[in-house]
């Protein structure tokens, strides 16, 4: 007897969800592929750079005490001869690691990354001898280019993030709809949870299983990555997090402290005195950053000297803030991480959650694998659609 094969009935909900999943996927598939690939490549950026720049990051025989920051600043400026002023210096608490002086200047009116970033250089210097160990043009660095493709498709970073954000929002819908489409009526159906290819030769079926099963297993981490991604792009997403975590629509504004020039001003030693005080207060931290050009991230003049202290190497989530008088180096404000509200703590942690570093090396590995799967989904999805269009013609 010939067995009759009946097609499984598809509910109207799954039918419409399937159509939306398909057509939205086709519309943003290429951008999702680019965003997923670049994000995946960026996961281990710190580890790769640590290896490639090992000779300039680490100092073999540190002797004596570090030279004055002003002396080092002049040394860098004279040797690099960049027309833009130094932006900041990163000072590690590990005496075996070199200081990093940073040049960074933007043209906000530009429409693309290459015209927007006027300069982005990192200068590694031996703080004990004043010898410059290496100069890196970060503007054209592989990982920096990957970062800005991921962030804005190399468009202006202020509005390019919205261009990327829209496909990510669509991708979030596709992840949810993918879970709905995957969800089996009978949960005992083993084929929904793993590959059963023992007697399967058809590539279309294998491709479909790759898209469906890998998509399901990666969808929950991918949702977390996507939501933390649009947190950067859209203020209303960040504000929603703020409201849920701390009951306020916006984060508390930074307190303003003005510096007063007087006879007690310390002149060129202000950086060193602020640095010394920072080491006394947060001696167990990883590093801290001091601005050198007198401007904040928005390009406005600073009325004081703010210092950000990073607690752990390779992570941004735990950070402390100090504010010094820029003339006398008097400590005006000290805000340790534990005194922040929940929304502020999350704001600092969002980047680490997005990249997986918040969860350590294991987290990065999981994020990397998830990124690879997300990169494959537009490909397997397209092949599934293309395979359905290429149905073999019936023989007469």
């Amino acid at each position: 007897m010939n067995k009759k094969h009946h097609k499984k009935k598809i509910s109207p909900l799954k039918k419409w969800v399937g159509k939306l999943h398909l057509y939205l996927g086709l519309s943003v598939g290429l951008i999702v592929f680019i965003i997923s690939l670049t994000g995946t490549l960026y996961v281990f950026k710190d580890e790769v750079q640590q290896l490639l720049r090992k000779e300039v990051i680490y100092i073999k025989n540190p002797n004596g005490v570090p030279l004055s920051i002003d002396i080092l600043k002049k040394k860098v400026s004279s040797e690099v001869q960049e027309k833009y002023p130094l932006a900041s210096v990163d000072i590690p608490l590990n005496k075996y690691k070199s200081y990093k002086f940073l040049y960074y200047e933007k043209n906000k009116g530009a429409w693309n990354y290459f015209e927007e970033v006027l300069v982005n250089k990192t200068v590694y210097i031996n703080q004990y001898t004043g010898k410059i160990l290496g100069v890196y043009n970060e503007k054209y660095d592989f990982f920096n280019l990957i970062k800005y493709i991921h962030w804005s498709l190399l468009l202006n970073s202020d509005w390019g993030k919205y261009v990327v954000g829209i496909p990510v929002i669509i991708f979030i819908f596709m992840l949810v709809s993918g879970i709905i489409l995957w969800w089996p009526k009978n949960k005992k159906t083993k084929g929904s949870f793993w590959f059963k290819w023992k007697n399967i030769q058809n590539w279309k079926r294998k491709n479909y299983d790759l898209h469906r099963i890998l998509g399901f297993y990666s969808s929950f981490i991918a949702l977390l990555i996507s939501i933390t991604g649009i947190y950067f792009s859209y203020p209303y997403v960040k504000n929603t997090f703020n409201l849920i975590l701390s009951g306020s629509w916006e984060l508390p504004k930074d307190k303003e402290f003005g510096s007063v020039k007087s006879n007690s001003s310390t002149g060129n030693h202000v950086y060193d005195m602020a640095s010394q005080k920072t080491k006394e207060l947060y001696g167990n931290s990883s590093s801290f950053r001091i601005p050198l050009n007198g401007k904040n991230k928005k390009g406005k003049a600073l009325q004081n000297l703010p210092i950000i202290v990073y607690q752990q190497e390779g992570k941004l989530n735990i950070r402390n803030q100090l504010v010094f008088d820029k003339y006398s180096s008097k400590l005006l404000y000290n805000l340790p991480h534990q005194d922040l509200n929940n929304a502020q703590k999350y704001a600092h942690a969002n980047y680490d959650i997005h990249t997986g570093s918040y969860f350590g090396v294991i987290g990065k590995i999981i994020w990397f694998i998830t990124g690879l799967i997300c990169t494959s989904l537009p490909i397997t999805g397209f092949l599934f659609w293309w395979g359905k269009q290429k149905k073999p013609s019936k023989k007469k």
Side-chain angles (χ1 to χ4, degrees):
M1 275 178 77
N2 293 328
K3 293 182 180 179
K4 291 183 179 180
H5 295 277
H6 298 282
K7 288 186 177 181
K8 293 180 181 178
K9 289 184 178 180
I10 301 173
S11 68
L13 173 64
K14 280 195 173 184
K15 187 176 181 181
W16 283 106
V17 168
K19 285 184 178 181
L20 284 171
H21 185 87
L22 172 64
Y23 294 121
L24 288 175
L26 290 172
S27 67
V28 300
L30 179 60
I31 297 179
V32 169
F33 172 82
I34 293 170
I35 296 169
S36 299
L37 178 61
T38 51
T40 304
L41 293 173
Y42 195 79
V43 168
F44 287 104
K45 171 247 182 186
D46 290 340
E47 288 77 5
V48 173
Q49 279 197 342
Q50 287 273 347
L51 184 63
L52 295 177
R53 300 183 183 184
K54 184 178 179 181
E55 295 299 318
V56 300
I57 291 175
Y58 293 96
I59 298 170
K60 293 180 180 178
N61 298 304
N63 293 315
V65 295
L67 297 172
S68 167
I69 294 173
D70 280 286
I71 292 175
L72 295 172
K73 180 184 173 185
K74 290 176 182 177
K75 178 79 172 175
V76 171
S77 297
S78 63
E79 291 203 21
V80 178
Q81 294 187 344
E82 176 59 56
K83 66 177 181 178
Y84 299 100
L86 279 162
S88 60
V89 58
D90 282 359
I91 299 178
L93 274 292
N94 182 348
K95 68 177 182 179
Y96 290 94
K97 297 188 74 174
S98 59
Y99 283 14
K100 283 197 306 183
F101 281 84
L102 309 167
Y103 286 98
Y104 191 75
E105 196 76 31
K106 287 176 68 175
N107 171 20
K108 291 188 176 183
W111 71 271
N112 67 77
Y113 165 79
F114 297 102
E115 293 180 5
E116 178 187 16
V117 178
L118 300 173
V119 63
N120 185 4
K121 289 181 181 178
T122 301
V123 182
Y124 295 87
I125 188 169
N126 185 324
Q127 60 268 32
Y128 304 100
T129 64
K131 180 183 177 182
I132 291 181
L133 304 173
V135 180
Y136 292 84
N137 190 347
E138 309 290 6
K139 179 176 179 177
Y140 301 103
D141 177 74
F142 171 78
F143 285 108
N144 217 44
L145 289 173
I146 286 295
K147 175 184 175 181
Y148 278 93
I149 293 172
H150 183 80
W151 172 258
S152 63
L153 297 178
L154 294 180
L155 300 170
N156 178 288
S157 58
D158 286 337
W159 52 264
K161 62 184 179 182
Y162 299 113
V163 176
V164 169
I166 293 170
V168 173
I169 291 173
I170 294 173
F171 183 60
I172 290 172
F173 167 80
M174 293 175 64
L175 290 169
V176 175
S177 61
I179 294 171
I180 294 171
L181 294 170
W182 169 91
W183 204 266
K185 285 184 178 180
N186 182 2
K187 293 179 182 176
K188 293 181 180 179
T189 307
K190 292 181 180 179
S192 296
F193 293 93
W194 199 243
F195 308 102
K196 296 184 71 178
W197 289 348
K198 189 175 181 180
N199 299 314
I200 301 296
Q201 300 295 327
N202 191 334
W203 71 268
K204 294 181 183 179
R205 171 59 190 273
K206 290 182 178 180
N207 177 76
Y208 173 68
D209 285 349
L210 283 170
H211 186 79
R212 184 172 59 97
I213 297 171
L214 291 182
F216 169 74
Y217 283 117
S218 66
S219 58
F220 301 99
I221 298 297
L223 276 170
L224 180 60
I225 295 171
S226 300
I227 292 169
T228 53
I230 60 173
Y231 178 94
F232 294 116
S233 299
Y234 297 104
Y236 66 84
V237 177
K238 182 181 291 186
N239 293 339
T240 301
F241 271 76
N242 296 339
L243 187 63
I244 294 170
L245 293 171
S246 295
S248 176
W249 188 245
E250 294 184 351
L251 294 172
K253 291 184 179 180
D254 293 334
K255 293 184 178 180
E256 294 186 6
F257 298 92
S259 298
V260 180
K261 198 165 187 177
S262 65
N263 293 331
S264 61
S265 297
T266 56
N268 293 337
H269 299 291
V270 65
Y271 296 132
D272 296 310
M273 295 180 72
S275 173
Q276 184 58 38
K277 185 64 177 178
T278 302
K279 291 176 182 178
E280 291 174 7
L281 291 171
Y282 296 103
N284 294 323
S285 59
S286 170
S287 64
F288 56 93
R289 176 171 291 189
I290 303 176
L292 300 175
N293 60 357
K295 296 189 295 185
N296 61 16
K297 288 182 179 179
K298 295 181 180 179
K300 293 182 179 179
L302 289 168
Q303 301 302 313
N304 47 54
L305 183 66
I307 293 179
I308 301 298
V309 185
Y310 301 99
Q311 191 65 33
Q312 296 174 284
E313 186 174 358
K315 292 185 178 183
L316 304 179
N317 62 308
I318 301 179
R319 63 181 90 165
N320 312 287
Q321 183 182 356
L322 296 169
V323 178
F324 294 89
D325 185 294
K326 66 180 181 180
Y327 300 114
S328 67
S329 74
K330 178 184 176 182
L331 180 62
L332 303 175
Y333 185 58
N334 178 13
L335 181 62
H337 173 78
Q338 58 266 27
D339 289 352
L340 299 174
N341 66 33
N342 290 332
Q344 289 173 305
K345 288 178 181 178
Y346 181 81
H348 290 169
N350 187 75
Y351 174 84
D352 290 341
I353 295 172
H354 184 67
T355 60
S357 61
Y358 185 88
F359 307 99
V361 176
I362 298 299
K364 284 193 168 190
I365 293 171
I366 294 171
W367 260 236
F368 182 80
I369 294 171
T370 301
L372 287 178
I373 295 172
C374 289
T375 304
S376 75
L377 291 178
I379 300 172
T380 53
F382 174 79
L383 289 174
F384 173 70
W385 169 81
W386 182 77
K388 290 184 76 175
Q389 311 308 306
K390 296 287 182 179
K391 289 182 179 179
S393 57
K394 292 181 180 180
K395 293 181 180 179
K396 294 182 179 178

